[in-house]
């Protein structure tokens, strides 16, 4: 009988998060071993296929066109460029390629068709393919599924309450709607958030409530530590302490036992010992490569040395779910509908976001 709960409360999760650390680690590690091979970690490579120029005002993101950062934007990569990067990632031990585009939402047209061809190409390399492209409709999700997409990432970022302190250009409910659209296909869901944005423990628990009460729960939950980038509204936020990451990973593992918990952004500031503690607490997925979209990340050689030290093995592809069958564009059942969904624009004022956008003008 499954012991997956979907009725977690914020109070219960806060109580777990605040347990004495050794008790928290023991409980999380025990649950982790019941549901996962403890010495296997899934390795993904995150590739920015279209960088910068995003119209959103996410307070943590250097890719927003509103802020003045040193990020060099680029147009959408070609299919051949993406294939070359995927082959490089595969040779380095990655079983999944996650492609990110700095878009508010997917728009039907040549660029989305090009992304679909990227998905087909990578799936044929026998690698898992994940995309994070912003909000998508049900029909767009079905087209991605046909192409062979394995997972779709759409982070909640934080609690619904704190969300309005981070982003004003799209609503929390749109994120949930995108996840619901993905769930109408066989694509798995990847959704997590960021800690260190000035939120409280209550907000961290609120985010986990939103994820853990989904039925089914996300197959993958990234836990990111904010990488404060100069020029963004959050450039002065203090770095997350390793104990906060360990507690967040452990709590996530306890409330979502079967989910792969991703130790994501912020690893550059974590010691080898700190990362090892996160793996013990239930993290069983990382992003490899020297960059996560736009921020630094440990290089593959360092990660493999750490794996060797800890006795960890990279997870092979398609262990959790069967490899999707790719349908060629010419045989596709689903076609572009030219949809123009009315995703929300709350439009409230976030002072620090406005201030950051006005700098250096």
């Amino acid at each position: 009988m499954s012991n997956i709960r979907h009725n977690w409360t914020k109070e219960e999760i806060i109580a777990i998060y605040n347990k004495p650390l050794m008790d928290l680690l023991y409980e999380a590690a025990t649950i982790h071993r019941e549901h996962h091979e403890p010495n296997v970690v899934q390795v993904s490579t995150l590739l920015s296929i279209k960088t910068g120029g995003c119209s959103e005002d996410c307070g943590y993101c250097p890719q927003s066109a509103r802020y003045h950062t040193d990020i060099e934007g680029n147009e959408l990569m070609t299919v051949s460029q993406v294939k070359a990067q995927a082959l490089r990632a595969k040779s380095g031990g990655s079983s999944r390629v996650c492609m990110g585009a700095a878009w508010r939402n997917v728009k039907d047209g040549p660029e989305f068709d090009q992304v679909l061809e990227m998905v087909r190409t990578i799936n044929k390399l026998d690698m898992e393919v994940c995309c994070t492209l912003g909000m998508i409709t049900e029909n767009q999700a079905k087209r991605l599924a046909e192409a062979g997409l394995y997972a779709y990432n759409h982070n909640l970022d934080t609690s619904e309450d704190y969300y309005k302190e981070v982003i004003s250009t799209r609503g929390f409910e749109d994120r949930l709607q995108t996840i619901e659209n993905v769930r109408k296909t066989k694509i798995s869901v990847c959704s997590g958030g960021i800690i260190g944005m000035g939120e409280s423990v209550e907000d961290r628990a609120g985010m986990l409530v939103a994820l853990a009460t989904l039925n089914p729960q996300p197959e993958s939950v990234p836990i990111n530590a904010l990488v404060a980038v100069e020029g963004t509204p959050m450039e002065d936020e203090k770095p997350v302490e390793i104990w906060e990451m360990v507690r967040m990973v452990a709590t996530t593992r306890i409330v979502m036992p079967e989910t792969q918990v991703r130790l994501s952004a912020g690893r550059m500031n974590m010691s080898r010992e700190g990362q090892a503690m996160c793996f013990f607490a239930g993290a069983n997925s990382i992003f490899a490569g020297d960059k996560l979209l736009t921020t630094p990340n440990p290089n593959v050689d360092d990660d493999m040395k750490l794996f060797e030290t800890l006795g960890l093995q990279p997870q092979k592809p398609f262990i959790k779910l069967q490899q999707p069958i790719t349908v060629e564009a010419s045989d596709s059942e689903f076609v572009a509908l030219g949809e123009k969904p009315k995703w929300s624009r709350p439009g409230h004022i976030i002072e620090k976001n406005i201030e950051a956008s006005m700098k250096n003008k």
Side-chain angles (χ1 to χ4, degrees), residues 328-357:
E328 298 299 336
S330 57
D331 299 322
S332 178
E333 176 185 351
F334 301 99
V335 298
L337 299 178
E339 299 170 280
K340 295 182 179 179
K342 292 184 179 180
W343 302 107
S344 67
R345 292 182 182 273
H348 58 275
I349 300 298
I350 304 176
E351 292 293 345
K352 60 185 177 183
N353 290 13
I354 298 294
E355 290 173 5
S357 70

Side-chain angles (χ1 to χ4, degrees), residues 60 153-159 175 190-197 199 204 207-208 211 220-226 245 248 252 262 264-265:
Y60 53 80
N153 168 264
H154 200 60
N155 289 337
L156 298 185
D157 287 344
T158 186
S159 70
R175 297 194 179 245
C190 176
S191 185
I194 308 168
I195 67 172
M197 299 191 294
E199 78 288 341
R204 295 174 187 178
M207 181 187 76
L208 292 182
L211 294 168
S220 174
V221 172
I223 302 298
N224 297 275
L226 176 70
M245 283 298 292
M248 194 66 182
T252 304
R262 293 184 177 278
S264 299

Side-chain angles (χ1 to χ4, degrees), residues 15 45 64 106 116 151 154 188 202 235 237 275 313 320 325 356:
T45 293
S64 172
V106 168
L116 293 172
H154 200 60
S188 62
E202 287 75 15
E235 64 181 4
E237 291 291 343
Q275 292 180 67
Q313 297 293 325
K320 301 294 184 179
I325 297 172

Side-chain angles (χ1 to χ4, degrees), residues 251-268:
T251 305
T252 304
R253 169 54 65 226
I254 291 168
V255 302
M256 289 180 270
E258 294 183 355
T259 292
Q260 288 208 272
V261 179
R262 293 184 177 278
L263 188 60
S264 299
R267 287 200 298 124
M268 285 294 289

Side-chain angles (χ1 to χ4, degrees), residues 298-349:
N299 66 51
V300 174
D301 289 341
D302 288 343
D303 281 334
M304 292 303 103
K305 288 176 183 177
L306 179 59
F307 274 34
E308 183 179 356
T309 298
L310 301 178
L312 301 176
Q313 297 293 325
Q315 180 178 296
K316 295 180 180 179
F318 311 115
I319 295 297
K320 301 294 184 179
L321 295 172
Q322 189 174 0
Q323 182 175 8
I325 297 172
T326 286
V327 176
E328 298 299 336
S330 57
D331 299 322
S332 178
E333 176 185 351
F334 301 99
V335 298
L337 299 178
E339 299 170 280
K340 295 182 179 179
K342 292 184 179 180
W343 302 107
S344 67
R345 292 182 182 273
H348 58 275
I349 300 298

